[in-house]
Amino acid sequence: MSDTVGPAMAVVMKDLRLAWRDRAGWASAGAFATIAVLVYSFAFDLATGDIRPLLPGVLWTTFLFAGIFAGGQSFARESEEGTFDALLLSPVSPTMVYLGKAAANIIAMLVIEFLQLGLATILFDTNLVSLELLVIVFLGTVGSVSLTTLLSTMSASMRGRAMLLPVMALPLLVPLLIGAVRATGAALNVEVGAAPWTLLLAVAALWSAALSVLLFPIAVER
Amino acid sequence: MSALTSTLQRLYGFWWIVLPPIVGSAVMAMIIGSIVVAPREIIEGDVQRLLYIHFPSILAAYGAFGVVFLASLVVLWKRDLRWDAVARGAATVGVLFTGLTLATGALWGKPIWGVYWTWDARLTSTLVLFLIYAAYLLARSMADELDEQAARFAAVFAVLGALDIPLVMFSVTWWRTLHPQPIVMRGLERPALPPEMLLVLMIAFLGIGALALWLGILRTEAEWLAKRTATLRAKIDRHEGA
């Protein structure tokens, strides 16, 4: 068991250690998310009296953009330093490399998101720290970050990748966004209809995680 | 060269002679038919005539995206860049006709629904389709013609996009729906259109379908020629360098 999971854990630990040593990348993603939540709160407060129904949309657009921003950065460094080629040359299956990278990105992203939930709890005067919401955030993060990790590997070698990544990722994430926003709305007692949104979110998350795991080895094959 | 390949090549050369006149006459027939022959719809009026472009366009786009999906699978499987040219050609046609569907739909929507755009299930999923394949074209055009790795990435993205479509449709249908219900393809029931309208629509299917095929072939050939030019240029550079 440890033989198969070991390499993935090594990649996770490597990425998390790097993220910790060079905090600028993830800190800027966190700062971006914070600024986004603040600006949304401020701008919507100018436009409308009741901003609480907008909260699920605010949170998820922020999470998606911050995730794409951070995911793109994490691979840009790998391709600059050439460590990604080294990882692929090592006698480890590409699936394990992918799982390691995705897990590290998910963990870092979850930290940022929980901080934002705390901030939004204060700004929007709504309790956002509940078990239901944590499950929803976890599912949405697994789904979106697993896909952006795959796409950022692919776009890392292309010109203009910073712009390309959101253009590629966001249309694919529309089902996940619908599920996540509606499920969050349901958890906050915003009117969203009766469909099982958390189920839709789970299916979308499973879809992107499973396809990314399957397609990563095919994408990086030389 | 196998017999099948040579037959296919002969057939392909034949298309160059057959397709342009078919495209020209079918598209002319479609325009005349939809403006002159088809009766004026009682409730919606003349704006209903957009249906003759709208509906065949989206079917042509679906066909083109199907080709992108299959050609991308072949790129991943055989590593043959010719199929990358096919996928790019088909994606261009698909994006063009999805755009045409969205544009004609918006023109129809303003007088009938009162708005150009609404976040209805079918409109949303068609827009997402448009965005996915526009992103595909953008991503592919940002890398070198001959970059096999970039071709693989684009193919992986096209496969992801194709597999995303059912999920998109399902999720937006749960979300909301306002689009008119199907009136032509209703399974075994008879279509709800009068015979003249149905005839014009059939001609429009032929016209738009042939046009899509023709544009797809032209675009694919252009992509392939660009690849060959790039190969030759690389060879000349190497020769001069040596």
Side-chain angles (χ1 to χ4, degrees), chain B residues 38 147 198 202:
Chain B
D147 188 344
L198 201 62
M202 290 302 149

Side-chain angles (χ1 to χ4, degrees), chain A residues 154 172 182 218-219 221-222, chain B residues 79 149 152-153 164 175:
Chain A
M154 305 204 307
L172 293 178
R182 291 269 153 147
I218 299 171
E221 201 176 284
R222 298 283 150 96
Chain B
R79 297 168 167 255
Q149 193 75 46
R152 290 181 75 79
F153 289 164
D164 197 35
W175 184 34

Side-chain angles (χ1 to χ4, degrees), chain B residues 28-151:
Chain B
M28 285 307 285
M30 176 187 86
I31 293 169
I32 295 169
S34 57
I35 296 174
V36 183
V37 180
R40 190 168 185 278
E41 220 267 348
I42 300 168
I43 302 166
E44 296 181 3
D46 282 329
V47 73
Q48 180 269 344
R49 295 178 200 276
L50 283 171
L51 172 80
Y52 305 117
I53 298 177
H54 181 77
F55 187 38
S57 291
I58 192 63
L59 288 191
Y62 278 136
F65 294 142
V67 172
V68 178
F69 178 58
L70 294 178
S72 298
L73 286 180
V74 180
V75 170
L76 293 176
W77 181 34
K78 296 271 188 191
R79 297 168 167 255
D80 187 341
L81 280 180
R82 269 180 298 185
W83 289 96
D84 177 54
V86 174
R88 280 179 88 170
T92 315
V93 171
V95 167
L96 175 73
F97 281 98
T98 317
L100 207 57
T101 307
L102 291 169
T104 50
L107 289 177
W108 177 88
K110 184 65 181 170
I112 304 300
W113 286 342
V115 285
Y116 286 115
W117 183 261
T118 171
W119 292 104
D120 155 81
R122 260 187 231 197
L123 273 67
T124 311
S125 54
T126 308
L127 179 67
V128 173
L129 201 65
F130 178 81
L131 292 176
I132 288 174
Y133 285 95
Y136 166 85
L137 286 178
L138 189 68
R140 189 64 193 89
S141 68
M142 277 191 171
D144 201 303
E145 289 280 344
L146 297 172
D147 188 344
E148 202 203 306
Q149 193 75 46

Side-chain angles (χ1 to χ4, degrees), chain A residues 58-72:
Chain A
V58 167
L59 287 177
W60 282 103
T61 46
T62 305
F63 291 169
L64 284 189
F65 278 115
I68 288 168
F69 181 57

Side-chain angles (χ1 to χ4, degrees), chain A residues 26-27 29-31 33 63 66 70 107-117:
Chain A
W26 284 96
F63 291 169
I107 292 170
M109 200 54 219
L110 282 173
V111 172
I112 292 178
E113 286 168 346
F114 289 147
L115 290 175
Q116 300 316 312
L117 286 180

